[in-house]
Amino acid sequence: MRARVSWTLVLAVFLALPPFQRERVEEMGFGQIFRIERMRVDPALTQALRSRCDTEASAFAFPWGHMIPSLEDVSRITGLRVHGRAVSSGYTYPCYHDLAERLLDLPVERRSSLVPRVALQESLGLFEAGKNAGESEDEYLERLARVSRRELASEPGPQADLDLRCFLVLFLGRLLFATRGDAVHCLFLPLLADLGEVGGYAWGVAFLAHQFDGLGASERQTSTSGFYPFLQIWAYLHLPALRRGDLTRPGLVPIARHWDSRRDTRHLADQLEGLQEAIDSYPYLDVIWQPYLGEGDEGQPWLVQARPYFSRSVWLHALNLVLPLNLFLTQRSLGLRQSVVEFPVRDRFRRLGRSFRGLHDTTDWRERAREQIENWEWKGKGVRSDATTDDAYLQAYALKYGGKVYKSPRHQVDVTGEIASLRALLQSAVQDRETAQRQTTELRSELERVRGAGAGGASSSRSAGGSPSLMEARLAGAALRAEEAQRHLEERERDLELAHEQAMTLQSERDQLRVRVEAAESQVAEMTRELATLRVQRPSGDQEEVIRLRVELLAQQTLARSLQQIVTDIGRSRSRSRSGVSVSRATGTSVGQYLAGSSSRRRNEEEERHHPGDDGRRDSEMLPPPDRREGSGESGGGQ
């Protein structure tokens, strides 16, 4: 509900702006988002999508593979600008006190990056922003706009610039890049100093980075940070069989104006359970990978300049937040077959905590994220595929994610298949560890040889391109890194061995319980037959034996149900506990489902008619951003 109120407040101020101010907002690329009508919040859909977010890949992990909201989704759904300068081209500060007083004429506490929401609203004339009893949404919006209009400057000048900055801070901090809590952060305030430059930034790219960052929060959250209709519309377009939205106004731009959210009066838990089951059982052929094939560019001039960014993996920037858009994980969304790719792993580089408030230094992000900004200016890396089918990718995907992509309780874990997958992973880990051990031994031998050559005055090292001391230092560093990698692989091997032992123990327990269940069911069947015989053969007055058999029958039935429930609970607890071990596992059932779906001749023929393959190859994975200590406000981090 808070997100909807924030949208109403921001929209009211926009409507209250004088015409020349609204034109400036249009020129900045924000105008289209204010044409989107109010939409009903769908917390169950948001929570279902959040539960399937793979934070390592900044993507959704569904049973049929990865799916990623892209820059084209942002551009077409919201109308936000996704071309221009990276939003990282700016500064963050440990204190915004002086800047806020100069640019907003608002008080900000020392060593703070937050401006009080009430003070910001009052500067725009919204002294009483609460909704009156019995007041409709339209009446509420009209009243807020009328009150705000009285306080805003009606002519160009310094006061009008002040009003516009206050509105932009409210818009960015409470709608586009909203965070939890009432305060509004000043993170983007330095970019608003020159209002003529605001329209040159790729705000839609920063919005997508903020969406990815918000999805990595707790699965229990029922809302998402930022402009909440985006993910709802994205799901309506790509997963129409979920039937969560109604297409009521086709032909309008941006596409978010097409849709209304369906009303669901069920309890949130019931909605979420139904959605999880629907996603787990979703027909693969009903997934819409390219929902915009029939959409033209009429009335959307921003698409012409944004199109060169649509099919490329690129770094997304939102000042201190820098995240990769791993579009190569969803090549099917580009009309290509999905080739086997190396899945992103977060452990390759350190990621800061999600929530941190302190800003330790004044940071110039043009220097801190220089490589990633250059990557954006070069439009990232093109996505190409030489695959003829999706089978190899889906097999690797199943091995990586296993049954973790299934969320509904009806999809149980196949322990036998999990054991087979763990054995394969363990064998691979042993090979990796042995390779690392050989490399470490070779480096140590070379290091000893160089040390001996340096002590004996040999010139072989100098002829190889450096002094013995320099070569020795380089080899020592390489040997230490190899030893660290070897230790990491040994830990992974131990984890896999432990997981394999646990799975074997679990399988043994399940087998023993199944034997007991079968024995109990056999006794129930025999006693049922005996009871039926007694009912026919015994005199009607002799009821003691019948009653005794009934009691024993009920007891055996209860025992059989209890044992069966124990077997089921063990499978569920195993499914939940697998996430505590830092290894990737897959289930036999999951692999079978993936491969059955991927090898479907009907789906391949359908895609072949629409999406001819590309004979190129995927570019290499993007490098991570540099480590950083700075943060701001109530959101931050990055991969």
Side-chain angles (χ1 to χ4, degrees):
M1 187 65 184
R2 181 185 298 277
R4 187 169 183 174
V5 171
S6 297
W7 192 3
T8 302
L9 291 177
V10 176
L11 181 59
V13 180
F14 174 76
L15 295 175
L17 291 173
F20 77 93
Q21 293 282 52
R22 287 202 296 271
E23 290 179 4
R24 298 173 75 179
V25 175
E26 295 270 1
E27 293 172 356
M28 294 173 182
F30 299 136
Q32 292 297 325
I33 204 168
F34 294 108
R35 293 180 173 83
I36 301 173
E37 298 183 15
R38 292 186 297 273
M39 180 179 292
R40 186 179 296 109
V41 182
D42 192 342
L45 180 59
T46 300
Q47 193 169 349
L49 292 176
R50 184 192 299 277
S51 68
R52 295 169 188 273
C53 180
D54 174 19
T55 55
E56 294 177 344
S58 296
F60 296 120
F62 290 114
W64 52 88
H66 279 117
M67 296 190 79
I68 296 180
S70 67
L71 294 178
E72 184 171 9
D73 291 315
V74 173
S75 184
R76 289 190 177 273
I77 292 174
T78 69
L80 289 171
R81 180 188 179 109
V82 296
H83 61 278
R85 295 196 301 278
V87 176
S88 281
S89 302
Y91 292 83
T92 52
Y93 299 95
C95 178
Y96 287 81
H97 180 274
D98 296 335
L99 196 64
E101 284 194 344
R102 178 169 60 88
L103 298 180
L104 303 177
D105 195 22
L106 289 176
V108 173
E109 294 181 1
R110 293 287 181 182
R111 303 295 297 179
S112 175
S113 61
L114 304 175
V115 59
R117 176 182 56 84
V118 174
L120 182 61
Q121 291 178 185
E122 289 179 350
S123 70
L124 297 168
L126 301 178
F127 298 95
E128 296 292 338
K131 187 178 181 181
N132 297 329
E135 194 174 29
S136 68
E137 287 290 337
D138 291 336
E139 292 172 343
Y140 177 46
L141 178 63
E142 183 180 354
R143 177 173 62 84
L144 290 179
R146 184 173 60 254
V147 172
S148 180
R149 192 175 293 116
R150 301 194 198 108
E151 299 294 327
L152 300 177
S154 58
E155 298 293 337
Q159 185 59 43
D161 291 346
L162 193 68
D163 292 342
L164 184 56
R165 286 195 189 93
C166 289
F167 165 72
L168 291 175
V169 169
L170 180 68
F171 166 65
L172 296 175
R174 295 298 299 157
L175 184 62
L176 208 58
F177 305 105
T179 55
R180 301 181 68 183
D182 285 336
V184 182
H185 59 72
C186 299
L187 190 65
F188 300 103
L189 185 56
L191 302 182
L192 307 181
D194 187 349
L195 292 173
E197 297 292 326
V198 175
Y201 291 103
W203 293 103
V205 178
F207 166 76
L208 186 57
H210 186 73
Q211 289 283 307
F212 284 157
D213 190 54
L215 286 171
S218 171
E219 293 183 7
R220 295 185 177 183
Q221 291 187 21
T222 57
S223 62
T224 184
S225 300
F227 187 63
Y228 67 89
F230 173 72
L231 283 179
Q232 294 181 200
I233 302 297
W234 182 88
Y236 301 162
L237 292 169
H238 290 79
L239 308 175
L242 293 179
R243 303 186 184 280
R244 301 297 291 185
D246 292 317
L247 181 62
T248 57
R249 297 176 295 275
L252 300 177
V253 294
I255 285 180
R257 300 176 68 188
H258 293 189
W259 295 84
D260 284 332
S261 178
R262 288 187 176 180
R263 183 179 296 277
D264 194 334
T265 58
R266 294 178 298 168
H267 190 274
L268 177 61
D270 295 334
Q271 294 184 51
L272 181 60
E273 182 179 356
L275 270 173
Q276 299 287 28
E277 174 62 29
I279 294 175
D280 287 348
S281 307
Y282 197 90
Y284 294 177
L285 289 175
D286 288 345
V287 176
I288 306 299
W289 290 98
Q290 294 181 283
Y292 311 117
L293 288 179
E295 295 285 341
D297 297 347
E298 296 80 6
Q300 304 174 84
W302 58 88
L303 288 176
V304 177
Q305 294 173 290
R307 196 171 293 280
Y309 294 90
F310 285 170
S311 302
R312 307 180 73 83
S313 293
V314 68
W315 284 100
L316 307 177
H317 299 268
L319 285 179
N320 65 325
L321 179 64
V322 183
L323 294 175
L325 175 63
N326 296 318
L327 204 58
F328 62 84
L329 292 176
T330 56
Q331 294 167 353
R332 284 172 285 181
S333 65
L334 305 176
L336 307 172
R337 294 289 187 176
Q338 182 65 58
S339 58
V340 178
V341 295
E342 184 177 359
F343 297 112
V345 178
R346 185 192 304 178
D347 291 341
R348 289 180 183 170
F349 51 92
R350 186 173 61 88
R351 176 186 170 96
L352 295 177
R354 290 191 42 78
S355 179
F356 55 98
R357 295 174 180 269
L359 286 174
H360 305 292
D361 300 300
T362 297
T363 303
D364 182 0
W365 288 96
R366 291 169 296 189
E367 294 296 327
R368 178 58 62 89
R370 180 186 301 176
E371 293 182 8
Q372 288 70 42
I373 293 176
E374 290 177 353
N375 170 270
W376 169 256
E377 293 173 347
W378 296 336
K379 298 180 177 64
K381 296 180 180 295
V383 178
R384 295 181 175 85
S385 171
D386 57 359
T388 56
T389 68
D390 304 330
D391 292 0
Y393 162 81
L394 290 172
Q395 185 172 5
Y397 183 85
L399 191 63
K400 165 71 174 177
Y401 293 96
K404 290 187 291 186
V405 297
Y406 293 99
K407 300 296 180 181
S408 64
R410 291 178 58 184
H411 289 78
Q412 297 299 315
V413 176
D414 184 350
V415 181
T416 303
E418 184 176 3
I419 291 174
S421 299
L422 283 171
R423 285 173 178 167
L425 288 171
L426 180 57
Q427 182 179 1
S428 176
V430 170
Q431 293 175 350
D432 291 343
R433 191 258 303 161
E434 292 176 349
T435 300
Q437 188 173 0
R438 286 195 301 271
Q439 293 175 348
T440 303
T441 303
E442 292 173 0
L443 285 170
R444 282 297 177 189
S445 299
E446 181 67 14
L447 178 59
E448 293 299 327
R449 187 189 67 79
V450 171
R451 284 175 175 171
S459 60
S460 59
S461 296
R462 283 189 291 272
S463 63
S467 64
S469 59
L470 180 59
M471 291 292 295
E472 181 180 339
R474 290 177 177 174
L475 284 170
L480 289 175
R481 288 191 294 271
E483 290 174 351
E484 179 65 24
Q486 182 181 342
R487 284 193 295 270
H488 175 75
L489 290 170
E490 289 173 351
E491 292 176 1
R492 183 170 183 267
E493 183 180 348
R494 286 194 297 270
D495 287 342
L496 284 167
E497 289 176 346
L498 177 61
H500 183 262
E501 292 174 1
Q502 292 175 345
M504 292 291 291
T505 302
L506 176 62
Q507 179 66 15
S508 176
E509 293 174 357
R510 285 166 66 94
D511 291 341
Q512 294 175 12
L513 284 170
R514 283 198 180 99
V515 171
R516 294 181 60 187
V517 169
E518 292 172 358
E521 290 176 344
S522 176
Q523 291 182 10
V524 168
E526 182 179 351
M527 294 177 70
T528 301
R529 289 193 299 270
E530 186 175 350
L531 182 60
T533 302
L534 284 172
R535 283 174 176 169
V536 175
Q537 297 177 354
R538 287 298 182 102
S540 59
D542 189 2
Q543 297 293 328
E544 292 183 2
E545 186 67 15
V546 174
I547 293 173
R548 184 185 65 81
L549 287 174
R550 282 178 178 173
V551 172
E552 292 184 6
L553 176 62
L554 290 174
Q556 290 295 331
Q557 288 176 335
T558 303
L559 175 61
R561 284 195 297 269
S562 299
L563 291 172
Q564 185 62 50
Q565 185 62 42
I566 291 174
V567 173
T568 302
D569 290 342
I570 288 178
R572 290 178 178 176
S573 64
R574 176 62 182 166
S575 176
R576 289 192 296 268
S577 65
R578 287 186 312 150
S579 60
V581 183
S582 59
V583 294
S584 302
R585 305 161 199 158
T587 68
T589 299
S590 302
V591 173
Q593 288 169 335
Y594 292 137
L595 296 183
S598 66
S599 62
S600 170
R601 178 177 300 176
R602 174 184 163 201
R603 189 195 65 173
N604 285 341
E605 291 175 351
E606 184 71 19
E607 290 190 357
E608 195 65 42
R609 288 196 296 269
H610 293 89
H611 315 312
D614 194 319
D615 58 355
R617 294 184 177 273
R618 177 179 65 84
D619 289 313
S620 59
E621 185 179 347
M622 293 179 291
L623 293 175
D627 290 341
R628 62 193 191 286
R629 295 176 299 171
E630 290 73 18
S632 75
E634 299 185 14
S635 69
Q639 289 195 20

